[in-house]
Amino acid sequence: MTNFYKYLPVSSEDESWGLYVFNAGCNRIKRNEIYPSAEHPAHHYFNWSKGRVLDEYQIIYISNGEGVFESADSGLQNINEGSIIFLFPGEWHRFKPNNETGWDEFWIGCKGSIIENLFAKKFLDTKNAVINIGVNDNITQLFISAIEQIKEEKTGYQQFVSGIVLHLLGAIHALNKQRNFKTEGNTETSINKARSILRTNIDENISMEEVAAELNVSYAWFRKAFKSYTGIAPNQYLLQLKIEKAKMLLANHSKSVKEIAFSLNFESASYFSKLFKEKTGISPEQFMKNMQR
């Protein structure tokens, strides 16, 4: 790893994009090395005794080594390889590698309405500033890709890098959820089987109680686990599958709205039309007309 950091100017166009990057870099901190380095820019410099407060979000990935982190809301925590550290605007924090191991770190500092929305919707939380996703080559490559774009600063690089940052945030969120479910026995296997059952019975009038019985679990457990894993209740998941298939049938113009409604086991054509409009914003008839243009 070659140590690198860069602090970036931001234009009004960059800000209008909704996510923009202030800085990025990577460092290899060797055993017993002073941290941060004396070369660290003054406006981001800090020491362990005082800590610091930033006016930006930062995503830090410790790909090797270990250390400690502390913030006002999350408290003191051990950092292991594979840890993601989130820093928040206005939140006091401090961190350092273990003298015996050092660490390898990647970071990106950013702001914008997109990440503010993720924070407002609780996808990011000052109380959960540390997430251990494990050593992951995809995460490392995303940081490296962002750094390579920043090194060149070609026109439009801010928008390119903001896309990488959003990809990075999505990957971290997904990896964290996947690791959580791996610790819960056969939950992932059960949910995947349930999704398969729902997809293969999309034309049937199958109940969620029947799905739970086929999985040999209680309905209460199944409903809670399914929604926790997918973010959607099982009944809504099946309904969305039916709506998507209805779109395909409507686009083919091979069946009437009434025929499609009954082929997908809706109780009536009017009920199907009502649900279709709720989910898509237009009636089945209008959707079919749009597909004829």
Side-chain angles (χ1 to χ4, degrees), residues 219-242:
Y219 170 67
W221 180 91
F222 166 63
R223 188 182 186 286
K224 182 180 179 181
F226 191 97
K227 186 170 184 180
S228 179
Y229 190 89
T230 66
I232 309 170
N235 278 312
Q236 286 299 310
Y237 186 88
L238 179 59
L239 177 58
Q240 289 192 25
L241 291 179
K242 287 177 179 286

Side-chain angles (χ1 to χ4, degrees), residues 82-191:
S83 290
I84 293 286
I85 304 171
F86 287 108
L87 306 182
F88 298 87
E91 174 83 355
W92 176 88
H93 62 269
R94 59 183 180 175
F95 52 92
K96 64 179 180 179
N98 187 316
N99 282 335
E100 295 301 313
T101 64
W103 70 22
D104 291 349
E105 61 181 12
F106 294 87
W107 81 89
I108 292 177
C110 59
K111 287 182 79 172
S113 57
I114 292 173
I115 196 165
E116 288 288 355
N117 180 64
L118 292 173
F119 178 70
K121 299 295 184 181
K122 303 298 184 183
F123 288 103
L124 302 173
D125 187 348
T126 55
K127 291 182 174 60
N128 296 305
V130 177
I131 298 173
N132 195 309
I133 59 169
V135 177
N136 186 284
D137 183 59
N138 183 47
I139 297 296
T140 302
Q141 283 302 123
L142 286 170
F143 274 101
I144 290 172
S145 295
I147 288 169
E148 290 304 313
Q149 291 296 321
I150 286 167
K151 282 180 179 178
E152 296 183 6
E153 280 192 69
K154 289 183 177 179
T155 183
Y157 81 95
Q158 271 281 359
Q159 288 69 42
F160 195 133
V161 175
S162 74
I164 296 173
V165 172
L166 194 55
H167 186 172
L168 183 62
L169 290 167
I172 292 167
H173 180 72
L175 286 168
N176 186 44
K177 292 193 75 170
Q178 290 160 17
R179 284 175 68 88
N180 287 340
F181 276 97
K182 283 180 181 177
T183 64
E184 296 184 18
N186 295 321
T187 299
E188 186 172 31
T189 301
S190 296
I191 300 308

Side-chain angles (χ1 to χ4, degrees), residues 193 210-218 221:
K193 184 176 180 181
E210 288 174 313
V211 177
E214 191 165 339
L215 296 173
N216 292 313
V217 298
S218 71
W221 180 91

